[in-house]
């Protein structure tokens, strides 16, 4: 493994700071710096961007982002044990790494970032999906980020890029593909991590669209999608009956047979259905 900077190898960093990964924090550390640099390159040209990283751990991806030319990196880490190791990276890249010891679910990163902004992270397994949904459903669009380059369990990654009629198709696919282009750009086996997780992982790259792919009220669309997939085996006329009076008429107006199930309905049809339903006040 060749070095990407003058700092010690990650195994040495982990031993020095006694950073055993904690399952309670969803931690699995990537130790190959060539691999973390490869992930950083999937985020695109970083030279003029601030980058938000969640859960940097001992800093493998952080180092990759900085070595690949990120203007600044804001790294949010909940585990205080990792802060000394990250501080060593900050010292090696003066003025380019800001560290926050805190919970990513409770911090407003916009107070610390200057556009354009990209997000790149090996997300902790226990908060990854919640963070993605937050980033995909802001009140205003376009969002604060240009792109998201995120590592998930492979099963979650496949749900993000899934197409209608497939087992993985559902809420995540619709929310992601409504407002972004999403694709899997890298697959990683369990042995790439320490400790090795029981599942394979994958990196997903999402590029924000200037406008949603189809017009729809965001809150109404989210409500329709959530109800539709809450009970996947039910026909839509049953699963959506609480969403709006006369739901069968709304379904037909959107070109959807009332006997269809949610996994058979396209994003365009869901948006048409949302437009036919009066938004909540």
């Amino acid at each position: 493994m060749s070095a990407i900077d003058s700092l010690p190898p990650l195994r040495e960093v982990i031993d020095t700071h006694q950073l055993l990964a904690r399952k309670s924090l969803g931690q699995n550390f990537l130790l190959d710096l060539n691999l973390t640099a490869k992930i950083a390159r999937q985020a695109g040209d970083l030279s003029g961007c601030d980058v938000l990283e969640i859960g940097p751990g001992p800093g493998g991806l952080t180092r990759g982002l900085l070595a690949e030319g990120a203007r600044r990196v804001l790294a949010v880490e909940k585990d205080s044990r990792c802060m000394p190791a990250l501080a060593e990276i900050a010292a090696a890249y003066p003025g380019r790494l800001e560290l926050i010891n805190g919970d990513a679910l409770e911090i407003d990163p916009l107070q610390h970032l200057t556009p354009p902004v990209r997000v790149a992270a090996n997300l902790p397994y226990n908060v990854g999906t919640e963070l993605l949904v937050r980033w995909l459903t802001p009140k205003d669009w376009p969002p604060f980020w240009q792109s998201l380059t995120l590592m998930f369990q492979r099963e979650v990654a496949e749900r993000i890029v899934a197409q209608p009629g497939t087992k993985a198709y559902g809420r995540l696919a619709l929310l992601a593909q409504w407002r972004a282009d999403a694709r899997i750009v890298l697959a990683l086996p369990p042995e790439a991590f320490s400790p090795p997780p029981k599942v394979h992982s994958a990196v997903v790259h999402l590029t924000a669209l200037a406008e949603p792919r189809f017009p729809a009220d965001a809150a109404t669309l989210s409500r329709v999608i959530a109800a539709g997939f809450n009970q996947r085996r039910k026909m839509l006329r049953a699963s959506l009956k609480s969403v709006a009076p006369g739901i069968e008429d709304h379904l037909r107006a959107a070109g959807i047979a009332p006997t269809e199930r949610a996994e058979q309905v396209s994003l365009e049809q869901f948006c048409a259905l949302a437009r036919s339903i009066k938004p909540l006040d």
Side-chain angles (χ1 to χ4, degrees):
M1 181 179 69
S2 60
I4 63 171
D5 54 32
S6 60
L7 291 163
L10 280 175
R11 286 193 184 277
E12 184 178 325
V13 172
I14 288 171
D15 289 343
T16 299
H17 296 281
Q18 300 182 335
L19 296 177
L20 293 177
R22 288 181 174 171
K23 187 176 181 180
S24 62
L25 295 174
Q27 291 176 329
N28 296 92
F29 298 147
L30 273 173
L31 300 184
D32 186 336
L33 288 169
N34 287 323
L35 185 54
T36 61
K38 185 176 182 180
I39 294 169
R41 287 193 290 273
Q42 299 299 324
D45 183 4
L46 304 177
S47 59
C49 297
D50 280 11
V51 180
L52 171 63
E53 183 188 7
I54 305 299
L61 180 56
T62 314
R63 289 165 65 175
L65 294 167
L66 291 164
E68 290 299 317
R71 180 177 65 194
R72 282 181 65 255
V73 174
L74 173 66
V76 181
E77 176 55 62
K78 187 175 183 179
D79 187 354
S80 59
R81 299 177 306 148
C82 296
M83 300 309 289
L86 294 168
E88 292 174 1
I89 303 173
Y93 291 92
R96 294 178 57 201
L97 175 59
E98 180 179 352
L99 305 173
I100 295 179
N101 182 197
D103 189 337
L105 296 174
E106 299 174 357
I107 290 169
D108 179 9
L110 293 180
Q111 297 179 5
H112 306 268
L113 296 166
T114 302
V117 175
R118 296 177 184 266
V119 181
N122 171 15
L123 290 174
Y125 281 169
N126 53 358
V127 297
T129 302
E130 182 174 353
L131 283 169
L132 175 61
V133 170
R134 287 190 183 191
W135 290 329
L136 291 170
T137 57
K139 182 179 180 181
D140 299 312
W141 196 267
F144 75 88
W145 50 270
Q146 287 187 337
S147 68
L148 309 173
T149 305
L150 307 172
M151 188 183 303
F152 296 98
Q153 297 178 45
R154 185 172 66 184
E155 178 185 350
V156 176
E158 290 172 347
R159 285 164 53 199
I160 294 168
V161 302
Q163 297 299 305
T166 63
K167 185 178 179 181
Y169 184 67
R171 177 172 175 253
L172 269 187
L174 288 158
L175 291 179
Q177 296 170 39
W178 182 45
R179 287 172 155 175
D181 285 325
R183 57 194 175 94
I184 294 176
V185 294
L186 199 62
L188 296 97
E191 53 268 26
F193 299 85
S194 177
K198 296 180 180 180
V199 296
H200 283 68
S201 301
V203 177
V204 182
H205 183 75
L206 301 100
T207 304
L209 299 173
E211 298 283 347
R213 207 172 296 278
F214 305 104
D217 174 73
T220 306
L221 180 62
S222 294
R223 187 162 51 102
V224 168
I225 291 170
F229 284 95
N230 188 42
Q231 300 181 65
R232 296 176 68 100
R233 294 185 179 182
K234 279 192 173 185
M235 297 177 186
L236 283 174
R237 66 184 178 194
S239 58
L240 296 179
K241 64 182 180 181
S242 63
V243 171
I247 191 61
E248 291 196 24
D249 292 335
H250 291 292
L251 287 164
R252 292 191 182 94
I256 304 169
T259 55
E260 293 273 31
R261 292 176 172 82
E263 60 267 25
Q264 300 167 308
V265 177
S266 70
L267 169 62
E268 184 174 8
Q269 288 175 311
F270 267 115
C271 288
L273 178 59
R275 289 197 301 273
S276 77
I277 296 172
K278 182 179 179 182
L280 291 176
D281 295 329

